[in-house]
Amino acid sequence: MTDFRVHALLPALLAQVRATGLDTSGNPVQRLTGITGPLRCCLRSAREDEDVILFGHEPVLPGSGSPYREVGAVYAHAEHCDGPDGEDYPAQWLDRPQVLRAYDARGWIHPATRTHDGSDPLGEIASILAEPDVVEIHSRNIAYGCYMFSITRA
C-alpha cells in the first residue's frame, strides 16, 4: 500500500484524440505498429503487434497559467483500452530510471525534482511527497524527457 496515486492519461482526453485524430496542438495523430514504447493509457509497454498512436500532449499542471507548461509526444493504444489495473506504480516500469519532476500549487517546478536509477522509485516518490509544498509529480522518460504519468498524494 502506497501513500500516493499514479494517474494515466484521462479517458476523456484519449477518446477526443482518437475521435478527432488531432493532438493538443491540432496536429494529426500518427498511427504506428511495431512500437514497444510506454503506453500512457494503460501504463505498460506496447507489444509489437499492437496498433498505437503517437501524439502531442500537454500535461495538466497544478494552478493556472504556469510558465512550465509544455507539449511532448506520448504513445497510447489506437483504440479504447481499459486503462491501468489500479493507481499503483506501473509494475513493468519499476526498474526504469526516470525523472521525477515535482510541482508546487502554482504549477512551478519544485526543488525536490530529481532523477532515480530505477532501484527504488517508490522510496524516491515518498521522499519527494514528504516535502509539504509538493502537490504533484510528473514521471518523465530520462532520455527523451517525455511525460509518462502524474503522481499525487493518496
Side-chain angles (χ1 to χ4, degrees), residues 25-78:
S25 302
N27 295 315
V29 168
Q30 303 299 310
R31 296 182 70 89
L32 307 163
T33 56
I35 301 298
T36 58
L39 297 168
R40 281 33 167 243
C41 50
C42 55
L43 303 183
R44 67 167 176 80
S45 298
R47 295 185 308 267
E48 286 187 9
D49 64 336
E50 293 181 298
D51 293 328
V52 301
I53 53 175
L54 176 65
F55 61 96
H57 171 63
E58 180 182 345
V60 176
L61 295 175
S64 63
S66 171
Y68 292 98
R69 293 183 327 267
E70 58 187 307
V71 175
V74 295
Y75 292 114
H77 279 113

Side-chain angles (χ1 to χ4, degrees), residues 89-143:
Y89 199 91
Q92 282 190 356
W93 301 348
L94 279 170
D95 61 350
R96 282 188 186 189
Q98 292 287 292
V99 173
L100 296 174
R101 189 178 294 169
Y103 292 93
D104 65 18
R106 302 171 299 170
W108 288 38
I109 295 176
H110 188 278
T113 294
R114 64 187 73 173
T115 61
H116 72 80
D117 63 6
S119 63
D120 186 21
L122 306 182
E124 294 290 344
I125 291 166
S127 177
I128 293 169
L129 291 176
E131 295 285 334
D133 293 338
V134 172
V135 297
E136 189 169 317
I137 302 169
H138 288 181
S139 180
R140 291 179 168 268
N141 179 290
I142 204 160

